[in-house]
């Protein structure tokens, strides 16, 4: 019996729905707060876009020599939607094949995709925070401005809080569901 | 027994002597006043209070109940602080048929209304000296329009409005001959006229234009107010100097027992105007409008005005006798009661609109004044408030049927009931109150809660500042039966009338910055790439941009003594509260204060050669002090080519060379 359980099949559909939410909600949100910005500034990262107070943040960053953020500079906004869409398509195939091995492989693909996305995001943040214009008017020795991947960080007069938005939570939930699915399928297969 | 009662009388006398002490602030302020006016840091005031600036020509905005100054809106006077009246875009706002008039005397304000309630769209302001009416936009707090009033002098009974802002009125305080005719001053009675001008207000844009002028006999129109509800079709103007004196008015205009309140049926006047009963008379007046998109003023000279002569327009005007040189002419929220305030009288007459209509119907007239029927005093009178105080000036209302009248001579505000005309309470003012104001107190729906007295005399109210003092205003709570003094606060210029509305009505639609994509200024530099300098003859146009923290271009050469230089500075910022300033050395002009997304122009004609630094004057950022540049001005005829830029490429070259 290598066929998927009802839970396994249901989870595939749920994962696809969760991932579809990435086109409706942002993935990640970075909130900034400074004394001069009582209402705060916020930047929302979507699967294919970056929105929020990007212009204002770009204007501020020139003091410390950070690069300006432009949607066109992100190849990810092209690759990521294609990758996620393909992954969702693959899910339909796994569902139709109805084999446990397909489910395990699909989960593995998700983990690779997820880890690579986080690594890529981190790499961009590192470059954004470290690769500074040497002519910048404000230079603080030893200071880097890498925003946190997750959580809170204070940088000069700014406090930054980075956390998943609805889309991001759905993505994480999809991962949790897949791992739970694997565990369940595995237990079911060994018991029988 | 007798001895005991004698003792008791003695005690009573002693006790009353204690309470006979003259009232001062300490005795006038009760314990919890401080908490009632305390607006904690970060919290907002409950009301916007728009206060006329009097002889400073501007409008000031205070928060209530704190009395904190929020803004000064330049209207009729130059304001070097932000370049109003100096910049090329705004200087025409002060244009009149007499050229550029840099100052005026701003007395009264009126917020636009719909159905007799504040709609939070516009604020109207009058200019008393060179007759004008201005319209201020309440989303930008900017003067958008100024209309000159012809055939008038001393535009005092203005800018009062009808219930739906159909009309804003102007009235002549100093009667003058029509059409600037040259006549002897003592021919006042034959040649001098007063006019009541009705200015139409466009429902959507707010743009003003003179619909018609009613020509009245020469006298002084003082204040006015429109009817509401049942009296919607009527407008009431108080008058003095119906004696028609042209000299020493102090005595000569105070002879008659009664002057008049002029009741104008403006609906009827409108019908006559539409039916062609008026005459188009030549009269020059200037109309200035500011366009938010091109950010420029358009000035047009109008050539004539439609004048209605009461002789040709029966049933349009009636006179109501009113004691002793009335000032305020105020209509209660129901529209039934007309309160006249004879400033030399010791009583307040209250007229009934219903009785007035009946008197007109039944022709209960006591005579005519220059052909205008004068209604019998008693036939229009509802009743008199007896012994309210001395020198009533102005009355406002609350929503509970009470009236509040200011008394200049006896220096107090008095609360009385409209129905039974009984005085309820009185409270001293420090000192000699002119106008008073209850939020929404002249509308159909007063908000009540507070009363502000705008006093004419300050003396010892604040720390002394030499002979010239700020004015003093006083805030009272009117929530209870008794008036409670809460706060003193200084005001600038000399406030006359004021208006207040709940902050809620306008605060959320306040503009934060101008969308630069909507900027249609002919000299905009949309982005640093479009910054440039263009010479045409001796005119030099500099298309400059400002963004934290540099001006582009910041090095300019090839400009000569005597050139007419125009700095068109575009603020490229698109964020709240990031204005940039602009000033250049030795400029016989003011500075610019440019809001985000805006373009403003400063003219400069250098008369000596040299290097002229220019810089941002508004502390915009950590590198504000670096936001500067140089203009090289060479002798006329010298051979210096036009050159400009930020020299960014040069800097890069130097850096590469160093590496």
């Amino acid at each position: 019996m290598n066929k998927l359980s009802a839970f396994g099949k249901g989870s595939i559909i749920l994962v696809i729905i969760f991932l579809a939410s990435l086109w409706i909600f942002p993935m990640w949100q970075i909130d900034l707060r400074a004394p001069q910005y009582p209402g705060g500034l916020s930047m929302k990262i979507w699967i294919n876009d970056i929105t929020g107070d990007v212009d204002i943040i770009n204007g501020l960053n020139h003091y410390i020599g950070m690069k300006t953020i432009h949607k066109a500079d992100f190849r990810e906004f092209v690759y990521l939607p294609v990758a996620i869409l393909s992954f969702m398509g693959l899910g339909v195939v796994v569902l139709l094949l109805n084999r446990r091995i397909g489910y395990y492989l699909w989960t593995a693909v998700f983990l690779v995709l997820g880890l690579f996305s986080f690594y890529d995001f981190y790499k961009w943040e590192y470059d954004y925070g470290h690769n500074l214009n040497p002519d910048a008017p404000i230079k603080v020795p030893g200071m880097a401005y890498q925003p946190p991947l997750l959580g809170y960080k204070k940088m000069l007069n700014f406090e930054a809080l980075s956390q998943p938005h609805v889309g991001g939570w759905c993505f994480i939930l999809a991962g949790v569901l897949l791992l739970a699915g694997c565990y369940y399928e595995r237990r079911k297969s060994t018991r029988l | 027994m007798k001895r005991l009662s004698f003792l008791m009388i003695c005690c009573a006398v002693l006790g009353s002597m204690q309470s006979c002490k003259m009232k001062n602030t300490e005795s006038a302020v009760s314990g919890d006043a401080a908490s009632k006016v305390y607006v904690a840091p970060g919290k907002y005031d409950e009301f916007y209070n728009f206060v006329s600036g009097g002889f400073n020509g501007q409008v000031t905005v205070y928060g209530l109940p704190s009395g904190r100054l929020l803004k000064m809106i330049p209207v009729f006077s130059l304001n070097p602080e932000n370049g109003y009246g100096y910049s090329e875009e705004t200087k025409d706002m002060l244009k009149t048929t007499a050229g550029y008039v840099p100052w005026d005397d701003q007395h009264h304000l009126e917020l636009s209304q719909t159905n007799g309630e504040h709609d939070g769209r516009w604020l109207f302001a009058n200019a008393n000296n060179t007759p004008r009416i201005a319209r201020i936009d309440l989303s930008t707090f900017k003067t958008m329009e100024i209309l000159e009033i012809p055939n008038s002098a001393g535009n005092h009974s203005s800018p009062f409005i009808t219930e739906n802002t159909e009309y804003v009125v102007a009235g002549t305080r100093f009667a003058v001959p029509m059409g600037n005719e040259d006549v002897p001053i003592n021919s006042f009675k034959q040649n001098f006229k007063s006019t009541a001008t009705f200015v139409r207000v466009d429902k959507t844009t707010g743009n003003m234009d003179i619909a018609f002028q009613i020509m009245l006999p020469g006298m002084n129109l003082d204040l006015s107010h429109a009817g509401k509800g049942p009296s919607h079709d009527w407008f009431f103007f108080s008058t003095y100097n119906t004696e028609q004196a042209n000299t020493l008015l102090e005595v000569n205009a105070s002879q008659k027992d009664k002057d008049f309140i002029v009741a104008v049926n403006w609906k009827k006047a409108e019908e006559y105007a539409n039916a062609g009963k008026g005459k188009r008379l030549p009269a020059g007046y200037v109309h200035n409008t500011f366009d938010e998109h091109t950010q420029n003023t358009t000035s047009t000279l109008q050539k004539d005005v439609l004048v209605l002569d009461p002789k040709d327009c029966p049933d349009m005007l009636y006179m109501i006798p009113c004691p002793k040189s009335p000032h305020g002419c105020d209509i209660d929220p129901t529209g039934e009661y007309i309160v006249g305030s004879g400033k030399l009288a010791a009583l307040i007459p209250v007229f009934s609109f219903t009785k007035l209509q009946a008197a007109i119907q039944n022709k209960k007239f006591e005579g005519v004044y220059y052909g205008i029927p004068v209604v019998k005093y008693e036939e229009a009178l509802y009743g008199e408030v007896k012994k309210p105080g001395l020198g009533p000036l102005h009355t406002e209302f609350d929503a509970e049927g009470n009236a509040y009248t200011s008394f200049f001579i006896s220096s107090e505000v008095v609360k009385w009931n409209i129905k039974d005309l009984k005085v309820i309470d009185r409270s001293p003012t420090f000192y000699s109150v002119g106008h008073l104001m209850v939020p929404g107190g002249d509308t159909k729906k007063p908000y009540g809660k507070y009363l502000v007295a705008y006093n004419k005399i300050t003396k010892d109210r604040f720390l002394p500042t030499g002979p010239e003092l700020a004015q003093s205003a006083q805030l009272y709570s009117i929530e209870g039966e008794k008036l409670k003094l809460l706060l003193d606060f200084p005001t600038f210029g000399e406030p006359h009338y004021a208006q207040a509305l709940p902050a809620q009505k306008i605060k959320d639609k306040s503009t934060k910055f101008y969308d630069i994509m909507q900027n249609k200024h002919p000299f905009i530099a949309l982005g640093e790439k479009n910054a440039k300098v263009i010479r045409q003859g001796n005119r030099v146009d500099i298309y400059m941009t400002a963004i934290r923290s540099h001006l582009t271009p910041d090095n300019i050469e090839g400009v000569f003594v005597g050139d007419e230089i125009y700095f068109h500075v575009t603020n490229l910022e698109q964020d709240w509260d990031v204005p940039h300033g602009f000033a250049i050395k030795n400029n016989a002009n003011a500075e610019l204060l440019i809001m985000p997304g805006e373009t403003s122009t400063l003219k400069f004609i250098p008369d000596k050669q040299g290097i002229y630094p220019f810089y941002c004057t508004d502390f915009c950022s950590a590198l504000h002090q670096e936001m500067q540049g140089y203009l090289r001005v060479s002798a006329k005829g010298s051979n210096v080519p036009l050159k400009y830029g930020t020299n960014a490429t040069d800097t890069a070259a130097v850096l590469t060379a160093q590496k």
Side-chain angles (χ1 to χ4, degrees), chain B residues 215-476:
Chain B
M215 190 168 66
L216 296 165
M219 57 187 172
N220 296 23
L221 297 179
D222 201 2
L223 278 165
S224 64
H225 257 112
K228 7 174 133 67
S231 52
H232 173 80
D233 298 354
W234 293 75
F235 223 107
F236 303 91
F237 293 80
S238 61
T239 67
Y240 65 105
N241 191 24
T242 52
E243 293 89 346
Q244 300 191 304
N246 55 274
T247 179
L248 206 63
L249 265 64
E250 187 179 0
V251 174
N252 294 334
S254 307
Q255 294 305 305
K256 287 213 283 191
D257 240 14
K258 291 192 175 68
D259 291 283
F260 301 119
I261 284 177
V262 186
V264 180
N265 186 333
W266 60 264
K267 274 279 182 193
K268 201 129 233 175
E270 194 177 54
E271 280 167 30
Y272 285 133
N274 292 339
K277 292 278 180 193
K279 281 197 195 85
R280 288 229 152 252
L281 298 183
Y285 60 99
V286 171
H287 183 198
N288 309 318
T289 49
F290 187 82
D291 183 305
E292 209 178 77
H293 296 302
T294 64
Q295 301 177 15
N296 269 282
T297 304
T298 309
S299 242
T300 44
L301 177 67
Q302 306 290 334
K303 298 264 167 61
D304 53 32
V305 67
L306 184 69
V307 176
L308 295 176
D309 189 330
K311 268 191 267 161
D312 312 323
C313 307
D315 306 329
M316 177 177 75
L317 287 183
Y318 296 93
M319 301 290 218
I320 313 167
C322 185
K324 287 280 176 194
S325 306
H327 191 59
C329 176
D330 305 295
I331 320 300
D332 89 309
T334 66
E336 166 64 13
Y337 301 103
I338 304 146
V339 181
S341 303
K343 60 183 181 276
L344 306 174
L347 58 82
I348 307 170
V350 179
F351 301 99
S352 153
F353 180 71
T354 319
K355 278 188 82 178
L356 173 69
Q357 293 304 299
I360 291 169
Q361 208 79 50
N362 304 321
K363 303 210 183 310
K364 300 271 170 99
F365 303 134
E366 63 173 44
V368 288
Y369 185 78
Y370 287 88
I372 304 164
V374 180
V375 175
K376 278 186 184 151
Y377 178 66
E378 294 75 21
E379 292 300 327
L381 190 72
Y382 170 73
E384 290 169 342
V385 184
K386 302 285 188 199
K387 295 194 175 151
L390 197 58
L393 280 191
H394 173 219
T395 302
E396 293 256 274
F397 307 91
D398 67 17
E400 276 84 48
N402 301 307
Y404 302 83
T405 303
S406 61
F407 288 83
F408 179 82
I409 301 172
S410 53
S411 185
E412 59 187 336
V413 284
V414 172
K415 176 181 182 179
W416 51 277
N417 185 279
I418 305 171
K419 277 271 142 66
D420 64 19
L421 305 171
K422 292 260 175 5
V423 171
I424 299 165
D425 191 31
R426 57 180 70 239
S427 187
T429 63
F430 307 92
Y431 305 94
S432 291
V433 56
H435 281 271
L436 52 72
M437 188 275 317
V438 171
D442 69 337
T443 68
K444 242 181 185 169
K445 293 244 172 75
Y447 315 109
K449 197 160 180 181
Y450 301 113
L451 180 153
V452 183
Y454 301 96
N455 302 317
K456 297 297 185 192
I457 296 169
T458 309
K459 305 267 189 198
D460 62 350
R461 297 312 294 174
F462 309 107
L463 284 173
T465 55
E468 195 176 336
L469 304 169
Q471 308 290 317
S472 95
Q474 267 151 351
L475 180 78
Y476 298 81

Side-chain angles (χ1 to χ4, degrees), chain A residues 37 56 60 62-63 135 137, chain B residues 548-549 574-575 621 623 655:
Chain A
Y37 291 88
I56 294 174
L60 287 171
H62 89 274
Y63 291 117
D135 293 338
Chain B
R548 283 163 293 171
S549 304
Q574 287 289 276
D575 194 5
S621 62
L623 295 163
L655 282 172

